[in-house]
Amino acid sequence: VDKGIALILRVALDTPLRRAFDYLPPAGDSAAEPTLAAPPLGVRVRVPFGRRQMIGVLIGIAGESEVPAAKLKAAHEILDAASVFDPVTFELLLWAADYYHHPVGEVIAAALPVALRMVRARAAANRVSAGQAAPTAAPIECRPSEVILTSEQAQVVEAIGASLGGYRAHLLHGVTGSGKTEVYLRAIAAAVARGDQALVLVPEIALTPQLVERFRRRFSGGIAVLHSALSGTERRDAWRAAQSGLAVIVIGTRSAVLCSLPRLGLIVVDEEHDASYKQQEGFRYSARDLAVLRAQRARVPIVLGSATPSLETLENAAQARYATLKLPQRPGTARAPRLHLVDLRKHASDQGLSQPAIQAIGRHLADGGQVIVFLNRRGYAPALFCNQCGWAASCAHCDARMTLHRRAGQLRCHHCGAAAPVPATCSNCRHDLNPLGQGTERVEETLARLFPSAPRARLDRDTAAGRGALEAVLQRVHRGEARILIGTQMLTKGHDFPDVSLVVILDADQGLFASDFRATERLAQTITQVAGRAGRASRPGEVLIQTEFPEHPLLVRLIRDGYEGFAASALAERRHAEWPPYSRLAMLRAEARDSLALDGFLAGAADRGRGVGESVKILGPATALMARRADHFRAHLLIEAASRAVLQRFLARWIPVVETLAGPPGLRWSIDVDPLEVD
Ligand SMILES: [Zn+2]
Ligand SMILES: [Zn+2]
């Protein structure tokens, strides 16, 4: 029966399938005839899916479907009158699904709060009005700042301000303590004064109430905060405030880059080198990279700020794709800290603390300074050993040692979360067991013994768990109640510790000889960032870096020429080895319980890849650095291409073939475009 012109709705649904789903329009009110007027793209649609209902987003209209007409179902309801995304965000999401080769339904789901995707009896209560129909926001007052800008800061603010109204990418390379946040605040004030919205991305852990408070003090209102710890309704409300235009400034972690902002005028990405901008599971996007693309498409400026820019960003700046703005100095009398290497082979040490470090800590405490002791390993000790027979406590599910958490009285696996009580004696020979090596908990114990009168605070994922815990630790340090702060990577994320005069880095050698080509970059960034915590105000800072390899060229270059010197050497190495940014990578990661079948699947995938006929290198199958995690064996293929275009052409043809390959039961695999970690 001819039903006239067919109108097929292509709906993106939150499923792992790499395609949209076809539906007929909902039945009209008057007759059984489908409505013929096409709804606008970007509206939410309630549809039947199997035995249940789902809410998806309309991403296309077609004249015909590959699904046989008899099997096509009608959508239940169109939920919105206009797109829930502004046009740039909508295009960005579709582009990202293509580029990262990820199911479009999951990409759109990542951008839309769960509360707006839940099928409820009263779904209409969650109607979303489009950005164009946004209510006019109350004018936002900016309180003038008391901070007097240095001439360098003023120049940077002016350069960013002059670029408002068009696309321009700025690398703001400012040393720690150079006042980048003040620059952001002024640039945002200029954008807001034009009636624009500003998007500020910050690393996961840096989004503290302190930072938000600083924004709230400067602007009278209109600030929305988006991060992973929000409840469903909090997220929906913040998202709506941004999407409707009521929020003028949106501060958020990674996923905020996907947020709808109808009057976007400026994007700031703080600590642009930070690894938390890359989603490491599911939809593996880089928020930093998407932010640059978003700025381009929205024709607005973007500021990528860091004391230790990523090598990719430095290369973009070297090629003049980004403009470089520099803040090489700290304002006022503050001076850059002095860095020294401590040769661990020459000096006796007490539980990981060398004699020169112990003496320096005593000296700085006596002078009234605060001390940071950095070790990127939490827990009491990374291993529990039997000296008699060599037995060590290992995880039953991973190729990894269990970490001793003495205070909690547990052995914990940091890779799968398994926990066990601490055995009293060796299970092999009944001999006593000894903790081997140091974690932050043990370093805290050692410092308590060496400096009993100096109050301490510890900052790691164990002490910062739970709401408000991180803030409580930071407050103790700020108020000067804690004189010694022991911590992990968490210390490096933009916190301001004004009285810290000494930083001790206990173990610089993790990462010097790692197989991942980015390991040295991360090490140099960590050392520079932690070192930057020293000597913030008028106190000169001192930094001691303990190492067994004081002649290592990377460390020598970093100490002598700073991060920029290091970066120049590292980029030269990358160019020689044809690693990014001088090539493009993608990874196919897979895991299964059966390691032989896993290798078989990957070998098959590699084989088919070689038949695709693009000039890419396919490396592997290689076993992951940790071959077994949570009872699954893990391996991967690494794809290397000379350019983004070649890599994308290859992936577009190869992935559909990989999807047809049979794998072992329980096989899981994923594609990671521009992977951050290749181990
Ligand atoms: Zn034993
Ligand atoms: Zn484990």
Side-chain angles (χ1 to χ4, degrees):
V1 181
D2 181 23
K3 284 193 173 182
I5 305 155
L7 191 67
I8 306 294
L9 308 181
R10 295 249 144 103
V11 180
L13 293 170
D14 186 7
T15 76
L17 296 170
R18 285 185 169 78
R19 61 184 181 87
F21 295 83
D22 288 359
Y23 289 91
L24 293 168
D29 292 335
S30 53
E33 284 295 300
T35 24
L36 285 176
L41 301 187
V43 295
R44 291 174 304 149
V45 188
R46 184 164 58 86
V47 296
F49 190 75
R51 289 180 169 190
R52 58 200 177 115
Q53 295 186 22
M54 287 182 84
I55 290 180
V57 168
L58 182 67
I59 61 166
I61 301 276
E64 54 190 43
S65 173
E66 286 172 11
V67 180
K71 286 195 167 181
L72 268 180
K73 291 182 178 166
H76 289 307
E77 189 185 4
I78 307 279
L79 291 170
D80 306 294
S83 173
V84 295
F85 300 106
D86 68 83
V88 171
T89 306
F90 189 61
E91 291 296 318
L92 183 78
L93 294 172
L94 298 183
W95 182 92
D98 268 355
Y99 181 79
Y100 291 105
H101 298 271
H102 196 77
V104 65
E106 290 190 353
V107 171
I108 286 183
L112 204 57
V114 176
L116 297 173
R117 291 185 277 116
M118 287 201 309
V119 178
R120 291 207 202 91
R122 293 172 63 225
N126 272 327
R127 275 186 204 285
V128 179
S129 61
Q132 292 90 325
T136 321
I140 303 301
E141 296 286 318
C142 179
R143 254 181 246 137
S145 169
E146 290 159 15
V147 180
I148 295 164
L149 295 184
T150 63
S151 62
E152 279 158 348
Q153 286 173 321
Q155 278 170 23
V156 168
V157 170
E158 201 180 304
I160 299 169
S163 69
L164 290 171
Y167 169 70
R168 187 89 171 115
H170 302 276
L171 162 60
L172 175 54
H173 187 174
V175 299
T176 315
S178 60
K180 288 191 291 292
T181 308
E182 183 61 31
V183 167
Y184 301 151
L185 288 166
R186 303 273 180 135
I188 290 165
V192 168
R194 292 163 44 99
D196 292 345
Q197 288 177 300
L199 172 65
V200 183
L201 298 181
V202 296
E204 207 67 69
I205 202 68
L207 188 54
T208 60
Q210 281 176 12
L211 177 85
V212 176
E213 191 50 37
R214 193 163 170 190
F215 274 82
R216 290 203 201 282
R217 276 202 307 274
R218 189 66 65 87
F219 300 96
S220 66
I223 295 176
V225 181
L226 276 166
H227 57 83
S228 54
L230 296 179
S231 72
T233 42
E234 285 172 329
R235 168 163 288 270
R236 183 198 60 198
D237 292 348
W239 185 89
R240 273 184 170 166
Q243 185 254 9
S244 68
L246 275 175
V248 175
I249 300 168
V250 174
I251 312 173
T253 51
R254 184 173 60 225
S255 69
V257 77
L258 307 174
C259 186
S260 207
L261 293 156
R263 299 193 316 275
L264 181 65
L266 174 67
I267 303 178
V268 171
V269 182
D270 190 25
E271 310 289 349
E272 65 84 31
H273 66 280
D274 194 273
S276 76
Y277 286 126
K278 171 83 176 174
Q279 170 115 336
Q280 300 282 16
E281 57 192 24
F283 172 32
R284 294 163 186 262
Y285 64 100
S286 158
R288 192 254 333 262
D289 294 352
L290 282 184
V292 173
L293 193 82
R294 182 167 185 165
Q296 243 166 18
R297 295 186 164 222
R299 297 196 188 87
V300 302
I302 180 168
V303 181
L304 303 168
S306 179
T308 53
S310 65
L311 296 185
E312 276 85 354
T313 294
L314 284 173
E315 175 65 12
N316 276 323
Q319 299 297 325
R321 286 189 283 267
Y322 299 170
T324 305
L325 304 170
K326 282 192 182 180
L327 293 174
Q329 278 161 12
R330 301 175 177 199
T333 52
R335 276 168 292 161
R338 296 183 306 272
L339 277 64
H340 307 282
L341 294 177
V342 176
D343 188 344
L344 282 174
R345 297 165 309 182
K346 286 186 184 158
H347 299 284
S349 65
D350 183 347
Q351 292 303 343
L353 283 156
S354 66
Q355 285 307 319
I358 294 171
Q359 284 158 16
I361 293 171
R363 202 169 60 239
H364 281 261
L365 288 175
D367 289 348
Q370 276 179 317
V371 174
I372 281 179
V373 177
F374 173 82
L375 176 65
N376 207 15
R377 199 188 295 129
R378 68 198 165 87
Y380 186 83
L384 190 61
F385 252 100
C386 171
N387 290 349
Q388 195 69 17
C389 75
W391 178 88
S394 305
C395 178
H397 312 283
C398 307
D399 288 342
R401 298 258 159 79
M402 298 288 267
T403 298
L404 173 63
H405 288 251
R406 181 170 266 183
R407 200 165 301 175
Q410 276 189 330
L411 291 173
R412 289 182 190 158
C413 174
H414 286 184
H415 306 283
C416 73
V422 183
T425 57
C426 173
S427 63
N428 228 10
C429 72
R430 301 290 151 205
H431 216 263
D432 284 348
L433 292 168
N434 286 313
L436 194 77
Q438 293 87 30
T440 47
E441 195 184 325
R442 191 177 208 176
V443 171
E444 185 184 10
E445 181 189 272
T446 307
L447 288 163
R449 171 165 52 78
L450 293 170
F451 304 100
S453 60
R456 295 159 306 279
R458 177 155 63 91
L459 189 61
D460 56 33
R461 260 174 50 202
D462 297 321
T463 62
R467 256 193 178 185
L470 169 66
E471 274 305 292
V473 175
L474 294 176
Q475 288 292 333
R476 286 192 57 217
V477 180
H478 266 271
R479 288 198 295 262
E481 290 165 20
R483 308 307 300 169
I484 303 177
L485 177 60
I486 303 117
T488 59
Q489 195 78 17
M490 275 191 159
L491 285 173
T492 64
K493 307 291 169 76
H495 307 299
D496 212 348
F497 303 120
D499 283 327
V500 170
S501 55
L502 172 68
V503 168
V504 179
I505 296 172
L506 287 192
D507 183 4
D509 299 340
Q510 292 176 314
L512 274 184
F513 301 100
S515 58
D516 192 319
F517 73 94
R518 280 199 178 84
T520 52
E521 177 186 358
R522 283 196 287 267
L523 177 65
Q525 286 165 343
T526 299
I527 290 177
T528 309
Q529 293 278 346
V530 181
R533 309 292 124 193
R536 299 296 293 270
S538 54
R539 285 173 190 278
E542 189 177 351
V543 179
L544 298 182
I545 302 165
Q546 300 191 155
T547 176
E548 292 198 27
F549 306 96
E551 304 90 10
H552 192 285
L554 156 70
L555 285 177
V556 171
R557 186 88 207 256
L558 185 65
I559 302 296
R560 196 186 63 204
D561 303 324
Y563 183 78
E564 275 186 272
F566 156 79
S569 302
L571 275 170
E573 262 180 37
R574 294 262 187 104
R575 189 188 287 276
H576 183 74
E578 296 181 351
W579 285 119
Y582 306 105
S583 64
R584 290 281 170 170
L585 301 180
M587 275 180 97
L588 171 65
R589 288 197 187 83
E591 56 176 65
R593 285 175 182 268
D594 179 342
S595 70
L596 271 180
L598 175 67
D599 275 352
F601 167 77
L602 285 174
D607 218 43
R608 299 299 187 93
R610 289 182 189 106
V612 161
E614 288 289 347
S615 54
V616 298
K617 271 189 244 170
I618 303 176
L619 309 169
T623 303
L625 191 62
M626 182 170 300
R628 189 175 58 114
R629 189 169 74 188
D631 292 322
H632 283 76
F633 289 92
R634 306 155 71 232
H636 57 251
L637 298 175
L638 186 65
I639 316 299
E640 194 185 320
S643 73
R644 174 182 282 197
V646 170
L647 184 65
Q648 286 293 330
R649 276 205 309 271
F650 171 79
L651 292 175
R653 293 180 55 193
W654 182 51
I655 292 169
V657 179
V658 175
E659 281 184 315
T660 66
L661 294 180
L667 170 81
R668 283 188 298 216
W669 61 271
S670 62
I671 293 287
D672 190 352
V673 179
D674 304 332
L676 212 53
E677 287 165 10
V678 296
D679 266 334

